[in-house]
Amino acid sequence: MPITILIGAQWGDEGKGRVVDWMAASADIVARYAGGDNAGHTVALDGEVYKLHLIPSGILHSKVVSVMGNGMVINPDNLVREIQALRKIGVDISPERLVISSRAHIITPAHIALDKAKELALGDDKIGTTLRGIGPAYLDKTGRAGIRTGDMLLDVEEFAERLVAAIEMSNEELRAQGLDTLDALQAAQSYLQAADFLRPYIRDVSIYLYEALKAGKKVLCEGAQGTLLDIDHGSYPFVTSSSPTAGGALTGLGVGPLFVDNVLGVAKAFSTRVGGGPMPTELDGAIAEHFRGSGANFWDEFGTTTGRPRRCGWLDVVMLRYAVGVNGLSELMLTKMDILSGLDELKLATAYNIDGELFAFPPVTNEQLERAKPVYETLPGWSEDISNCRRFDDLPSAARDYIKRVAQLCDAPINMVSVGPERDQLVMNPAG
Ligand code: IMP
């Protein structure tokens, strides 16, 4: 380390939570820098399944301090609920173990109402958001009208006043759309209690991290969502409203680039997406069902936050190559390799054919992307269950060839693959 940034290299849900959980064993601090409770990071540990939406996945390691950065948008009620739920199952959470930036923005109940209203107004063109108020909260942030976690340090009347004013402001928008407004005073009540609860956790995260880095601590930055959902670098407007890419870690935590040693990308061994927007390798039918699973297991392809079935398709190397470039990835990690077992053959989209022209990277407009026809390379599949493999050489040769080919096509080494949801279901690839 000192700083390792770990990002999602696809459309989110790459299995970052389990990789962060594994890497956190050698970190002092795990810091989230973007997004809010639209994220759903799942960690399986000793048969227990932990679903984290706001708190960094490092919280499951008792020696790690978890940090929530200024780039996040936080629903205080949901954060308190998450802390209490984790405490109930024995996870120790105190201000020594969880640090919340004073500069993160607060999602109000009115932001959630506005998120729903906006999606409704878009009709068939809706983005398919998680309806957590993410977009409206970031809109108020960049419009310089938001309220911040640091406002919870004010005295209670002053915080209440700001909160009510912010809700009233959003109410005007709801009214303009002919929708029900919120009783601002009532909506603010639970937030006042949450503020009381969260106050001891709030501080200046940038200075906290600067001092920790100067003291030689190792920081792991945990990305949420994925590169292709990035507000700048994703398929706009079908994106989230924050910067999940590596650059977002610096602005979302207030740390300088010279501390960064590594940028790691996590990608699933196939593609998934939730919500609207282009997805060139999307499949219908038996293979999509194979990838998605039945929903009986927590690792099946149904949203952790929304429960929506995920769209599934072959691995899109064009998008992965783009993620390697946009994030400057030093390494890729492939998750869910075990799900590929049992398919006769596997396809990799190595390029797009758009109106007869070949593209190695995504085209610049969504209109072109909508017309993109994947150019597939077919590789042999394997039938063996690989979930007990722990060494690269234990994998069937077809699985090893798949990994090597993806690494070659993306021009990034693949040093780790996961073969199941448990902490130890990992295969290291010393050859990269
Ligand atoms: P929002 O972040 O709720 O505004 O949703 C914007 C888009 O990002 C929608 O397509 C969501 O499905 C997608 N999205 C947001 N968070 C996640 C995530 O954690 N995993 C996968 N997709 C996400």
Side-chain angles (χ1 to χ4, degrees), residues 11-14 16 32 35-41 115 119 126-136 138 224-226 229 237-242 272-277 303-306 308 310-311:
W11 284 280
D13 309 316
E14 296 92 350
K16 297 178 291 296
R32 251 194 78 179
D37 57 340
N38 48 349
H41 292 171
D115 200 356
E119 285 286 90
K126 72 176 180 187
I127 290 160
T129 74
T130 57
L131 304 177
R132 299 294 168 118
I134 305 292
Y138 278 114
Q225 288 81 45
L229 290 174
F238 297 100
V239 291
T240 190
S241 300
S242 65
T272 66
R273 178 169 198 169
V274 263
T304 312
T305 301
T306 59
R308 290 178 290 181
R310 294 180 186 141
R311 300 157 67 192

Side-chain angles (χ1 to χ4, degrees), residues 220-290:
L220 174 63
C221 302
E222 175 179 5
Q225 288 81 45
T227 301
L228 308 172
L229 290 174
D230 186 279
I231 184 76
D232 292 293
H233 306 291
S235 49
Y236 190 90
F238 297 100
V239 291
T240 190
S241 300
S242 65
S243 304
T245 42
L250 305 183
T251 52
L253 290 167
V255 291
L258 295 183
F259 284 112
V260 179
D261 274 352
N262 279 306
V263 186
L264 312 180
V266 184
K268 233 176 259 185
F270 48 96
S271 299
T272 66
R273 178 169 198 169
V274 263
M279 180 180 175
T281 64
E282 183 171 11
L283 297 168
D284 279 329
I287 292 176
E289 296 302 320
H290 177 102

